[in-house]
Amino acid sequence: MSTHTGAPLSGRRTGFGSGAVMAAGAARRLDWVLIVSVAVLCAIGSLLVWSATLPGDGGDPMDSTGHLRRHLAHLAVAWVACLVVASVDFRTVRAYAPIVYLATAVALVLVLTPLGAVINGSRGWIVVGAFQFQPSELAKVGLVLVLATLLGEPRDGEIRPMTRDVLFCLLVLAVPLALVMLQPDLGTTLVLGAIFLGMLTFSGAPFVWVAGMIACGVAAVFCVFWFDLLEPYQLDRLATLVDPSADPQGAGYNSNQALIAVGSGGFNGTGLFQGEQTHGRFVPEQHTDFIFTVAGEELGFAGAALVIALFAVVIWRILRIALGCDQPYPRLLCVGVAAWFGFQTFINIGMGLGVMPVTGLPLPFVSYGGTAIMANMLGLGLVLGINSRDRGFE
């Protein structure tokens, strides 16, 4: 009797044990260097958001934690979403790519209806009661998924994307690009273009298309200036990029104050919660677009350099995962996320240092913002999901 009852119990223990072993194996296959680097960026960002949203009277930081609590709540939900996406086989995610793309396209259309709200000069938000949602952030995820599918799955008998594939990808790009330009949101438009160019370059598509896209970009810039397509405030921002002192109290105010804040930090910084420029509210939108200036002032050159180094590690680890992929689809997925994070980081930090025009792009994983943080974490989850499994197709 004891022999008869022992076998099922042993089988159950074995099943549980094998499940635990599988879970442990999946955890070991996660890129922990990438995860820890992003977690440290999130932690630094939380402190910077807290400091940037303190009242300017030098009160106790514990008396003003509203933005910090909301930021931490956004991070908690986004990390859960990241881990959920990472746990799903990327081949399953691929099947839902068209749905994600179409959903974000519909949301971008709704932005242009009465549901859309104008914030900081751009109609880029859907506001329903207390709920605010920025579809252009999630459009980056949808674009990466669809482009990876189209460019990463050549037709039978082909080893790389051909002209018809590239043309179809251009059509796919044109939809969110046009809708974002109508808001208008120049920063996100540039990010979408960078994602497309990065993925096209690494897809193996004919080089003439890559060169053609670059030439078209140059031609587009020329036409924008030739036909005077920019808004007056956008022209003013470009003018102050060339000469920040030309209008220090007008169009050049943001850039000038950002440089003052970064420069006042010196090497070691003024100390967390001790930045006079930050707490004096001299830099606009310092908890979102200009969060890097808070790092420059309060953490100094050492702290700002650490932030840049962490982003370098993040991009390196994502590209390392891409190089380890056996098939083009997961490889291009990683390249698209790397191009997104890398380009957006470059633009945001460049704004804070006065070497890039003000475009309103948040710093990934660091700036305050619910939709942006969610989109960043979804992108991270896609990459982690590829790395935690066999990177080739079975």
Side-chain angles (χ1 to χ4, degrees), residues 191-209:
V191 173
L192 295 177
I195 290 172
F196 175 77
L197 185 59
M199 297 179 73
L200 182 67
T201 301
F202 285 89
S203 69
F207 178 75
V208 65
W209 276 106

Side-chain angles (χ1 to χ4, degrees), residues 50-375:
W50 189 7
S51 181
T53 54
L54 290 177
D57 56 7
D60 187 351
M62 298 306 297
D63 293 336
S64 181
T65 59
H67 280 83
L68 174 64
R69 292 197 302 269
R70 287 191 291 272
H71 185 69
L72 292 176
H74 294 157
L75 281 174
V77 174
W79 270 109
V80 171
C82 171
L83 296 177
V84 169
V85 172
S87 68
V88 179
D89 194 296
F90 59 84
R91 286 158 285 201
T92 302
V93 174
R94 178 189 58 184
Y96 289 94
I99 298 176
V100 175
Y101 173 83
L102 290 174
T104 56
V106 170
L108 287 173
V109 172
L110 292 177
V111 164
L112 304 176
T113 69
L115 288 176
V118 177
I119 299 178
N120 294 330
S122 174
R123 181 177 286 275
W125 297 80
I126 293 176
V127 178
V128 180
F131 175 76
Q132 292 185 346
F133 170 65
Q134 191 175 13
S136 60
E137 289 293 337
L138 294 181
K140 301 168 188 175
V141 180
L143 183 64
V144 168
L145 286 171
V146 171
L147 290 181
T149 302
L150 296 175
L151 295 173
E153 297 182 357
R155 292 174 174 81
D156 293 339
E158 299 174 354
I159 60 174
R160 62 178 185 175
M162 303 307 291
T163 296
R164 60 179 176 275
D165 301 311
V166 177
L167 289 174
F168 191 62
C169 287
L170 281 172
L171 179 61
V172 166
L173 170 67
V175 175
L177 203 66
L179 292 172
V180 170
M181 289 178 66
L182 288 174
Q183 295 180 7
D185 185 348
L186 178 61
T188 301
T189 300
L190 294 174
V191 173
L192 295 177
I195 290 172
F196 175 77
L197 185 59
M199 297 179 73
L200 182 67
T201 301
F202 285 89
S203 69
F207 178 75
V208 65
W209 276 106
V210 178
M213 292 300 102
I214 296 175
C216 287
V218 174
V221 172
F222 176 80
C223 290
V224 163
F225 285 98
W226 184 263
F227 294 104
D228 195 21
L229 299 178
L230 290 177
E231 297 291 336
Y233 75 91
Q234 293 174 324
L235 288 172
D236 291 339
R237 287 177 177 178
L238 291 174
T240 56
L241 178 65
V242 178
D243 183 10
S245 63
D247 188 10
Q249 297 302 318
Y253 179 81
N254 291 3
S255 296
N256 274 291
Q257 294 301 322
L259 284 174
I260 293 172
V262 172
S264 65
F267 185 83
N268 294 319
T270 60
L272 194 63
F273 309 130
Q274 302 301 317
E276 294 183 2
Q277 297 293 318
T278 296
H279 296 157
R281 299 291 191 272
F282 293 104
V283 183
E285 305 298 332
Q286 57 189 354
H287 64 305
T288 54
D289 301 344
F290 284 96
I291 192 74
F292 188 75
T293 65
V294 185
E297 181 181 19
E298 299 191 346
L299 305 181
F301 175 82
L306 173 62
V307 171
I308 294 174
L310 287 169
F311 275 112
V313 172
V314 169
I315 303 305
W316 163 54
R317 299 302 292 189
I318 294 176
L319 292 177
R320 182 176 177 271
I321 294 172
L323 290 174
C325 294
D326 299 325
Q327 295 295 324
Y329 169 75
R331 180 169 61 249
L332 288 177
L333 205 61
C334 293
V335 168
V337 174
W340 164 14
F341 290 169
F343 183 81
Q344 188 161 323
T345 299
F346 175 78
I347 295 295
N348 180 277
I349 294 178
M351 288 194 310
L353 298 178
V355 297
M356 296 299 295
V358 177
T359 56
L361 285 174
L363 188 59
F365 307 113
V366 178
S367 293
Y368 178 89
T371 315
I373 291 174
M374 178 62 73

